[in-house]
Amino acid sequence: MSRLSPTAQGIVLMLGAIFLFSAMDATAKMLMQRYAPMQVVWARYAGMMLVVAIILAPRLGPLLRTRRVGLQLLRSGFLFAATLSFFTAISVMDIAAATAVMQVHPVILTLGAALLLREPLGPRRLFGIAAALTGALIVIRPGSDIFTLSALLPLLGGVFYASYALTTRFLGRDEPILTSFLYTAIIGTVAASLLTIPVWQPPAPSDTLIFLALGATGALGQFLLIRSLTLAEAGAVAPFGYAGVVFATVWGLVAFDEVPDGWTLVGALVIVGAGVYVWHRETRARASAAA
């Protein structure tokens, strides 16, 4: 690993993070066959909090200092809503289809940055946004027999995740990334702990290790993601996030006997293609601005 360039190391770590996130999603879907989605969300955050507390224990005091408490709350709330939306979605629909629709978040982020940060929004970016949303509609197919209101949950999750990424841009200007990571874990754990009380079901002994694995996998994936972004520029590793669609498809086939139909594959390709196109345009625009 040390022989690789920082960018190559970042790409490898990004792929590792995406694989772990997909494994976490598959584990969550398995648990939600027996437990409420909110309890599974709690396990995801509680495990994350445990790992964060162990890793950052010597630095907890300094990292807890923030000048943007309100923005930290808002950012963490967006991620919590995205997690709950997505976990609820995969409890009732194929994991590959839900993951594909969730991947609209990069182009929604582009739209949000244009509206809130006044970043330029030309016809090519508008085309990318329209194409991604069209791909999402192909997957969920409103008006068809497979469409239910729950099919909109991964799209809603994508909107929440884009909002989370947008607020992260604001915080990244004057807050350490580990401070934001710590607040995400704390706020998510507290919120999930309160909301899971009405639906709490004591885990069966055989499921306890699965709950622990869910939290640990999510936390390790988050750690690899942060490490990836510290080694390489975000623009260099971002396209590899779409590997999640491939990983989710494999998990669906292996663990749940879910075979994506032709329209789901077409919609996924449109979404990924639109995302890569927008990323390409963003990269060229930044390069031009720097020149």
Side-chain angles (χ1 to χ4, degrees):
M1 187 78 168
S2 59
R3 296 178 181 178
L4 299 175
S5 67
T7 298
Q9 291 181 49
I11 290 171
V12 171
L13 290 172
M14 172 62 78
L15 288 172
I18 299 304
F19 175 79
L20 288 173
F21 287 144
S22 69
M24 176 190 71
D25 295 339
T27 305
K29 184 176 178 69
M30 185 186 307
L31 286 170
M32 285 185 292
Q33 295 173 351
R34 300 183 292 279
Y35 302 92
M38 181 55 71
Q39 185 168 346
V40 179
V41 171
W42 171 84
R44 187 261 187 272
Y45 275 99
M48 179 181 176
M49 185 67 248
L50 179 62
V51 173
V52 167
I54 293 172
I55 294 176
L56 300 180
R59 305 167 59 188
L60 282 180
L63 288 175
L64 280 171
R65 299 187 190 120
T66 177
R67 293 173 291 175
R68 300 290 190 91
V69 176
L71 202 54
Q72 290 286 4
L73 284 168
L74 183 63
R75 172 185 176 275
S76 300
F78 281 140
L79 183 60
F80 183 83
T83 304
L84 180 58
S85 298
F86 183 71
F87 275 19
T88 305
I90 62 175
S91 70
V92 294
M93 62 186 294
D94 287 1
I95 191 170
T99 301
V101 175
M102 183 79 172
Q103 293 298 326
V104 301
H105 66 80
V107 292
I108 295 176
L109 173 61
T110 300
L111 179 60
L115 295 176
L116 299 177
L117 301 181
R118 301 195 180 280
E119 294 183 3
L121 187 64
R124 292 185 177 86
R125 287 178 177 174
L126 285 173
F127 169 77
I129 294 168
L133 294 177
T134 299
L137 291 175
I138 291 173
V139 175
I140 61 181
R141 276 161 279 175
S144 69
D145 292 337
I146 69 165
F147 176 76
T148 61
L149 287 178
S150 60
L152 295 175
L153 285 172
L155 185 58
L156 184 63
V159 173
F160 282 130
Y161 194 86
S163 302
Y164 156 78
L166 197 59
T167 49
T168 299
R169 283 194 185 184
F170 280 102
L171 282 168
R173 296 170 179 172
D174 51 13
E175 293 272 296
I177 189 170
L178 287 179
T179 294
S180 297
F181 186 41
L182 180 59
Y183 272 93
T184 297
I186 293 172
I187 295 168
T189 302
V190 171
S193 298
L194 293 174
L195 293 173
T196 200
I197 292 174
V199 297
W200 176 262
Q201 177 184 343
S206 58
D207 289 335
T208 302
L209 287 178
I210 301 177
F211 271 104
L212 291 173
L214 172 76
T217 303
L220 182 57
Q222 199 77 31
F223 179 77
L224 292 184
L225 178 64
I226 290 174
R227 182 61 179 157
S228 170
L229 294 173
T230 59
L231 286 171
E233 293 183 3
V237 299
F240 295 91
Y242 289 108
V245 178
V246 178
F247 293 145
T249 302
V250 173
W251 283 116
L253 287 169
V254 172
F256 307 105
D257 293 323
E258 297 174 352
V259 181
D261 60 21
W263 285 115
T264 298
L265 293 175
V266 169
L269 287 173
V270 172
I271 293 168
V272 172
V276 171
Y277 175 75
V278 169
W279 162 80
H280 176 68
R281 294 298 307 172
E282 298 281 351
T283 303
R284 288 189 60 182
R286 281 194 294 268
S288 299

